[in-house]
Amino acid sequence: MSNHPASRILKDFFHPELEISKEHVPAILGLTASPVINSKAGKLEELEKNLQAISRTPKTHREELLRLTHRPMLVTLTYHPMPPARQFPLLPNLGQLRMSLDIEQDPYVKALMQSSPTASDSPELRRVKLNRKTYCQEQLKSLHSRGQTVDKELGSWGTYWYIIACIQKLQLGFRNRSASLELLDDDEKVYLERCLGNLLSCVSEETVPWFDKECISAKVLRLIEFLLTEHTPGFSGLIFVKTRAEVAVLSELLSTHLSLKEHYKVSTFIGESNSVKRRTNVAELIDVRYQVSTLDDLRLGRKNLVVTTSALEEGIDVSACNVVICFDHPPNLKSLIQRRGRARRSESKFALMLADHDDPSTISTWHELEVAMRKQYENDMRELRDLETLEAIDEGDREFVVEKTGAKLLFSDAVSHLYHFCATLPTGRLSNVAPVFTYQDNSQVLGQRAITAKVVLPISVDVSVRQASSQSAWITEKNAKRDAAFEAYKQLYYAGLISDNLLPIQGDDEAIANVKAEVGKMPSLVQVAGQSNPWHLVAHHWQSTTNDSSLYCYDIPLQQTGETIVMMHMLLPCSLPVIRDPIPLFWDASTIFSASIYLSCSTPPEMHHAAQSTGLLLSSVFRSRMDAARFDFVALFAPAEDHQNTDWMERFSGTFKRESSRPTDGSNLSLSSWGIIRDLTRNGVPHILKGFEEQSSELNTSDPQDNENDEKIILLHVARFPKRTDFLHPAAPGKESLLDGANKILLRPEDCEIDRLPLPYAYFAAMVPSILHRIGVRLLARSLCDTLLAPVELSQLDLVITATTTTASREPSNYQRQEYLGDSVLKFLTSLTLVSERLHWHEGILSSAKDHIVSNASLAKAALEVGLDTFIQTKAFTGYKWRPLYVSDLVNTTADEPREMSTKTLADVVEALIGAAFLEGGFDKAIAALKIFLPRVFWSGVSDRNDILLSSYNIPIAYPPHFTQLEQLIGYTFSNKTLPLEALTHPSYTGTNVTSSYERLEFLGDVCLDIVISSTSFAHNPPIPTHGLHLIRTAVVNANFLAFLCLTLSIPILRTSITTEGKNKVSSHETTIPRHIWQFMRQSPAAAVRLAQQDCLNRYEALKAPILESLRQGTHIPWSLLARLDAPKLFSDIIESLLGAIYIDSHGSLAACEGFLDTLGVMGYLRRLMQGGVALYHPKEELGQLADTESVRYEIFKGDGGDEQGRFGCAVWIGKREVARVEDGFCVLEVETRAAEEAVRMFKTKKLGQV
């Protein structure tokens, strides 16, 4: 209007172009709460003419608007103005100080006088001396002037508090070298501090009782009286005042009032200055940097009363309020309407404060406006009743029926069904998932009331079914809305987003839904088949073996320190899997044997001779556990030195006994030729000969001659032959002395019986159970590969053995590390399959389906269905009560007795086998394994899936030019430009040029991140223990860690800035500013998203340095600092969505994904964690370990002192004692982490003190 710059642009540029041609001139659409500028007639017409537009009240959505809009009740708060009875001298003293200052001592005047010898006669100096307009003088004048305003409106207490607060703020800024004071000269700082410091020193120490009515204005007292009556649960209100000084003082007064502070959480909001060169104003108390979250706090209930200037009248999204109070008269009709519009809750009030001596015409004007408002409201209500009458007309009875189930969608229920569907969509605090209806009134065209509707579903819904329109025109919006919803719901059904029961699907498509209910009921422990006995098949091969030529002969050298002490043949009716590495056999603490097994090149012994030698061999150790008449051993052993075995049997069968105990020369008694020595005085307890010892036959006497004639005897120095038959594991602690012969045992030869079979054969016989166990493990794994896993064609048997071995079995390796990798591979392939197979599914359905497929219950069910349980090793080998394996017993025994097993173990083995397949043959063999365990899912090659995904993004879309900067930033150039656009489109975005939000890409990128981190850490050399792998992955994929890197990575952008100085001087200068990944994101302009980002940025700036220091050089992961960052999920989401976009665009290149992660800094930190030197445990996990068996409990509380920021605190309890307490946290996770850190520190300090 008038000479406003926007008006001049329209008049000088828009209108002339419009007269030439309308084709190249844009049409104008303006949206406003009210087109009223002031109360003068004709202004609306002037506005319409200037805009070349017509002002219209919208008709579409009017029914809903009338229901949801509540006009406030006008309330007048009358007060009798009179000055407070009690005054303070501070304000008059300030005025006297300002007038008494010598202008020639002002820093600016002194600087002018010293600038040149003739400066004393300069016009500028004369002007300044005359008008006293220097910076320092103006600051004192401003402080005094605003103090007078506060004194008039709020009372003498407000003035007192305001002046002191301003001076103290200035002094604090000087001490802390505040950046806002850097534009002041040093002389000006000293001058101001001295002047105001002198003023402050004159203030008495008396305490000012703020609640004293004698120092508060009648206007404030009336306001307090009104607020005391208006508080209700959920209260929300605004108080409009004129000046920023009044905002500061009034908010302080209301916040500390004893009767109000229990009910009202007061905050402030003022306008911001755009000038970056404005110097500090001493009279300014409120820092606008701290009001960023004010409106968000009001919306969330952290604040419920905001004192503001006219800054909140328009242009800012403010939550609906119960009460709006005008502390002063609104300056014009526009302000009145805009302020009143803030009070739009049901039964809200709009309060005007009026002095009892105000002009009666002013009061009558407000009453007339109220009457007009009520009249308009009554007209609106009549219109609403007319519309409700129309809506009562039943215009349709359509229905949609699913023949398969009989499920029915009624026309009247379509809207509620559609809202229910949208409620199941993935959502967050910063996005809205409600459907949006728009209406078109075609009444003028058709000559009768005819309304059509269109519905637009949230951006996470596939674009092909995102919109729907009503089929017919209707009398009311209500039925038009039903029609559009009805068509939309049918579209969703045909797209596979609605089940045959007409309910939103949750990932339960027909491929997996039929087993989900049963799987979900699985207990944590289930009964499974006993472990399969691998020797059962060998026994069957023996039954079909008729001659020696069909036997397989293997050499087994038993070695110690590289020297073979005995060489044996082993005969089997079938081949063995290759056993590349020798089997370590732990005889005692200092003796370790090894047994190698390989196919023999020698002529094998005859079968019946081998059976006899096996009987002799095993009877040397297991005589009491054998049937002497049975020789159908499942594995036959024979000495390699005698192929015919006859001479060997003759020489080494039976025992011998020394009858004489006369002294002999022990030199002819070779240790290696002796067999097991059995003590006949103790029922034949077996011993090993360690040597000989000579002793006298009689006791020594004192007579030397007697001693010379005494006879000498030789005793046998022996050690007990070990009872244990498990030589696969080192002896338990405390058993070494018994095994290595440290306990000296001497036996008389005549009390012993000695086996003819040399001791090395007895050693071998004792180790047969251990050797057969190792062979059995490989036979079992080969059986699994030949049967259940045959389609996978696995050749690396060690991977299969590891995958099927639990920790309880105490084997050299177990499934845990392979399960870690297989879990990641399973999730990756499942997500890739789902996202490419179900192109219409949104992220919520995809996540639900994936979670079901990869769940422990689902995998455990799959393991039981295919019979994997019988191949899982859970029982530790001990050799306890071991007996020889006989063919006739084994042919009738296939497995052990049924056993109990946890569903997690079953699931872990499946994942470990997937990991084994991946390690041997990549994704192709992993998919082959998945087809066995999860046949209901349609698995196909990774390359095929990548083709489907890439072709689904073959959509022409305009690529913003600035996105080339994004490609430079992340180090990757996209061939398909649709992908980065979607990857950076927030679910709140409602603009054009969009396919979908980033959620589907984030779903895929999440598993891309996981597989890169998991495979890299798994491949590290030396291998990282399983628990360390999990800790590293948890740290690196942490959402706050990814968000921090997202906030940190940037690219420099050249920016040109235009500044104006004075009326005609314009200058430009170029600067370089950083641009971060998150700044490329397309999002809603709504305040909620921006406020969440700004809050996080504020925390980031404060935490950036310590987090970077910890990531680069720290000895601990900065868990608490990252938790304090409390970044909104959107920051980590776009990292994962960009990973998904890169994966698809690169046709499945995980190397390209890794390259982006390297640029981001993820891989660098991963490498640092893998190298060691960084404590990996989360404080809560570490505290749990330190607490041992005691329970740990975290107690969350809100901050003390009426915490204005909604901060959290946490006390951590161990057992029944509180061990740590922290406060001032932004979120629950932060305070729990900090409390755990403090508790851990105290634990360690206490332990060090005890030491």
PDB file of all heavy atoms in Angstrom, residues 1195-1211:
ATOM      1  N   GLU A1195      16.838 -44.183  37.477  1.00  0.00           N
ATOM      2  CA  GLU A1195      15.666 -43.419  37.897  1.00  0.00           C
ATOM      3  C   GLU A1195      15.720 -42.037  37.231  1.00  0.00           C
ATOM      4  O   GLU A1195      16.615 -41.233  37.494  1.00  0.00           O
ATOM      5  CB  GLU A1195      15.662 -43.282  39.424  1.00  0.00           C
ATOM      6  CG  GLU A1195      14.434 -42.600  39.988  1.00  0.00           C
ATOM      7  CD  GLU A1195      14.499 -42.519  41.507  1.00  0.00           C
ATOM      8  OE1 GLU A1195      14.232 -43.549  42.164  1.00  0.00           O
ATOM      9  OE2 GLU A1195      14.847 -41.438  42.025  1.00  0.00           O
ATOM     10  N   ILE A1196      14.756 -41.763  36.356  1.00  0.00           N
ATOM     11  CA  ILE A1196      14.731 -40.509  35.595  1.00  0.00           C
ATOM     12  C   ILE A1196      13.859 -39.483  36.314  1.00  0.00           C
ATOM     13  O   ILE A1196      12.792 -39.812  36.826  1.00  0.00           O
ATOM     14  CB  ILE A1196      14.191 -40.746  34.172  1.00  0.00           C
ATOM     15  CG1 ILE A1196      15.016 -41.823  33.464  1.00  0.00           C
ATOM     16  CG2 ILE A1196      14.212 -39.447  33.366  1.00  0.00           C
ATOM     17  CD1 ILE A1196      16.477 -41.493  33.305  1.00  0.00           C
ATOM     18  N   PHE A1197      14.316 -38.231  36.333  1.00  0.00           N
ATOM     19  CA  PHE A1197      13.522 -37.155  36.930  1.00  0.00           C
ATOM     20  C   PHE A1197      13.756 -35.876  36.143  1.00  0.00           C
ATOM     21  O   PHE A1197      14.737 -35.741  35.411  1.00  0.00           O
ATOM     22  CB  PHE A1197      13.882 -36.955  38.408  1.00  0.00           C
ATOM     23  CG  PHE A1197      15.345 -36.671  38.649  1.00  0.00           C
ATOM     24  CD1 PHE A1197      15.851 -35.378  38.611  1.00  0.00           C
ATOM     25  CD2 PHE A1197      16.233 -37.719  38.921  1.00  0.00           C
ATOM     26  CE1 PHE A1197      17.188 -35.128  38.820  1.00  0.00           C
ATOM     27  CE2 PHE A1197      17.580 -37.479  39.138  1.00  0.00           C
ATOM     28  CZ  PHE A1197      18.065 -36.175  39.088  1.00  0.00           C
ATOM     29  N   LYS A1198      12.799 -34.947  36.275  1.00  0.00           N
ATOM     30  CA  LYS A1198      12.960 -33.644  35.641  1.00  0.00           C
ATOM     31  C   LYS A1198      13.872 -32.790  36.498  1.00  0.00           C
ATOM     32  O   LYS A1198      13.941 -32.950  37.711  1.00  0.00           O
ATOM     33  CB  LYS A1198      11.598 -32.960  35.476  1.00  0.00           C
ATOM     34  CG  LYS A1198      10.762 -33.526  34.336  1.00  0.00           C
ATOM     35  CD  LYS A1198      11.425 -33.239  33.003  1.00  0.00           C
ATOM     36  CE  LYS A1198      10.558 -33.673  31.829  1.00  0.00           C
ATOM     37  NZ  LYS A1198       9.400 -32.798  31.651  1.00  0.00           N
ATOM     38  N   GLY A1199      14.553 -31.832  35.840  1.00  0.00           N
ATOM     39  CA  GLY A1199      15.498 -30.985  36.546  1.00  0.00           C
ATOM     40  C   GLY A1199      14.865 -30.198  37.665  1.00  0.00           C
ATOM     41  O   GLY A1199      13.674 -29.868  37.636  1.00  0.00           O
ATOM     42  N   ASP A1200      15.648 -29.886  38.685  1.00  0.00           N
ATOM     43  CA  ASP A1200      15.154 -29.131  39.837  1.00  0.00           C
ATOM     44  C   ASP A1200      14.962 -27.665  39.482  1.00  0.00           C
ATOM     45  O   ASP A1200      15.433 -27.159  38.473  1.00  0.00           O
ATOM     46  CB  ASP A1200      16.145 -29.240  41.010  1.00  0.00           C
ATOM     47  CG  ASP A1200      16.237 -30.679  41.512  1.00  0.00           C
ATOM     48  OD1 ASP A1200      15.239 -31.403  41.353  1.00  0.00           O
ATOM     49  OD2 ASP A1200      17.294 -31.044  42.053  1.00  0.00           O
ATOM     50  N   GLY A1201      14.278 -26.980  40.362  1.00  0.00           N
ATOM     51  CA  GLY A1201      14.125 -25.538  40.226  1.00  0.00           C
ATOM     52  C   GLY A1201      13.203 -25.130  39.102  1.00  0.00           C
ATOM     53  O   GLY A1201      13.379 -24.085  38.482  1.00  0.00           O
ATOM     54  N   GLY A1202      12.195 -25.956  38.826  1.00  0.00           N
ATOM     55  CA  GLY A1202      11.268 -25.591  37.766  1.00  0.00           C
ATOM     56  C   GLY A1202      11.973 -25.483  36.427  1.00  0.00           C
ATOM     57  O   GLY A1202      11.845 -24.508  35.721  1.00  0.00           O
ATOM     58  N   ASP A1203      12.763 -26.459  36.112  1.00  0.00           N
ATOM     59  CA  ASP A1203      13.623 -26.442  34.941  1.00  0.00           C
ATOM     60  C   ASP A1203      12.904 -25.897  33.718  1.00  0.00           C
ATOM     61  O   ASP A1203      11.982 -26.501  33.194  1.00  0.00           O
ATOM     62  CB  ASP A1203      14.093 -27.878  34.664  1.00  0.00           C
ATOM     63  CG  ASP A1203      15.225 -27.921  33.663  1.00  0.00           C
ATOM     64  OD1 ASP A1203      15.024 -27.379  32.569  1.00  0.00           O
ATOM     65  OD2 ASP A1203      16.277 -28.471  33.994  1.00  0.00           O
ATOM     66  N   GLU A1204      13.333 -24.742  33.250  1.00  0.00           N
ATOM     67  CA  GLU A1204      12.638 -24.077  32.162  1.00  0.00           C
ATOM     68  C   GLU A1204      12.905 -24.735  30.818  1.00  0.00           C
ATOM     69  O   GLU A1204      12.140 -24.585  29.884  1.00  0.00           O
ATOM     70  CB  GLU A1204      13.049 -22.601  32.117  1.00  0.00           C
ATOM     71  CG  GLU A1204      12.606 -21.818  33.349  1.00  0.00           C
ATOM     72  CD  GLU A1204      12.930 -20.339  33.204  1.00  0.00           C
ATOM     73  OE1 GLU A1204      13.557 -19.969  32.208  1.00  0.00           O
ATOM     74  OE2 GLU A1204      12.547 -19.573  34.097  1.00  0.00           O
ATOM     75  N   GLN A1205      13.996 -25.435  30.690  1.00  0.00           N
ATOM     76  CA  GLN A1205      14.340 -26.038  29.421  1.00  0.00           C
ATOM     77  C   GLN A1205      13.821 -27.464  29.291  1.00  0.00           C
ATOM     78  O   GLN A1205      14.085 -28.126  28.297  1.00  0.00           O
ATOM     79  CB  GLN A1205      15.862 -26.036  29.242  1.00  0.00           C
ATOM     80  CG  GLN A1205      16.489 -24.652  29.247  1.00  0.00           C
ATOM     81  CD  GLN A1205      15.974 -23.789  28.113  1.00  0.00           C
ATOM     82  OE1 GLN A1205      15.764 -24.262  27.014  1.00  0.00           O
ATOM     83  NE2 GLN A1205      15.768 -22.511  28.381  1.00  0.00           N
ATOM     84  N   GLY A1206      13.094 -27.947  30.285  1.00  0.00           N
ATOM     85  CA  GLY A1206      12.609 -29.321  30.228  1.00  0.00           C
ATOM     86  C   GLY A1206      13.736 -30.324  30.288  1.00  0.00           C
ATOM     87  O   GLY A1206      13.687 -31.370  29.674  1.00  0.00           O
ATOM     88  N   ARG A1207      14.797 -30.011  31.030  1.00  0.00           N
ATOM     89  CA  ARG A1207      15.964 -30.880  31.113  1.00  0.00           C
ATOM     90  C   ARG A1207      15.676 -32.093  32.002  1.00  0.00           C
ATOM     91  O   ARG A1207      14.773 -32.068  32.829  1.00  0.00           O
ATOM     92  CB  ARG A1207      17.157 -30.102  31.667  1.00  0.00           C
ATOM     93  CG  ARG A1207      17.545 -28.876  30.834  1.00  0.00           C
ATOM     94  CD  ARG A1207      18.181 -29.264  29.503  1.00  0.00           C
ATOM     95  NE  ARG A1207      18.436 -28.106  28.666  1.00  0.00           N
ATOM     96  CZ  ARG A1207      19.514 -27.344  28.757  1.00  0.00           C
ATOM     97  NH1 ARG A1207      20.409 -27.588  29.682  1.00  0.00           N
ATOM     98  NH2 ARG A1207      19.688 -26.333  27.935  1.00  0.00           N
ATOM     99  N   PHE A1208      16.503 -33.121  31.823  1.00  0.00           N
ATOM    100  CA  PHE A1208      16.326 -34.367  32.562  1.00  0.00           C
ATOM    101  C   PHE A1208      17.482 -34.587  33.533  1.00  0.00           C
ATOM    102  O   PHE A1208      18.578 -34.055  33.357  1.00  0.00           O
ATOM    103  CB  PHE A1208      16.253 -35.549  31.597  1.00  0.00           C
ATOM    104  CG  PHE A1208      15.039 -35.552  30.710  1.00  0.00           C
ATOM    105  CD1 PHE A1208      15.087 -34.980  29.452  1.00  0.00           C
ATOM    106  CD2 PHE A1208      13.848 -36.113  31.145  1.00  0.00           C
ATOM    107  CE1 PHE A1208      13.978 -34.973  28.628  1.00  0.00           C
ATOM    108  CE2 PHE A1208      12.734 -36.114  30.332  1.00  0.00           C
ATOM    109  CZ  PHE A1208      12.790 -35.538  29.078  1.00  0.00           C
ATOM    110  N   GLY A1209      17.210 -35.405  34.525  1.00  0.00           N
ATOM    111  CA  GLY A1209      18.229 -35.871  35.445  1.00  0.00           C
ATOM    112  C   GLY A1209      18.087 -37.370  35.622  1.00  0.00           C
ATOM    113  O   GLY A1209      17.063 -37.964  35.264  1.00  0.00           O
ATOM    114  N   CYS A1210      19.124 -37.999  36.182  1.00  0.00           N
ATOM    115  CA  CYS A1210      19.082 -39.456  36.355  1.00  0.00           C
ATOM    116  C   CYS A1210      19.883 -39.845  37.585  1.00  0.00           C
ATOM    117  O   CYS A1210      20.987 -39.332  37.816  1.00  0.00           O
ATOM    118  CB  CYS A1210      19.642 -40.166  35.116  1.00  0.00           C
ATOM    119  SG  CYS A1210      19.707 -41.967  35.287  1.00  0.00           S
ATOM    120  N   ALA A1211      19.310 -40.724  38.378  1.00  0.00           N
ATOM    121  CA  ALA A1211      20.024 -41.346  39.492  1.00  0.00           C
ATOM    122  C   ALA A1211      20.151 -42.833  39.183  1.00  0.00           C
ATOM    123  O   ALA A1211      19.188 -43.467  38.755  1.00  0.00           O
ATOM    124  CB  ALA A1211      19.269 -41.141  40.798  1.00  0.00           C
TER     125      ALA A1211
END
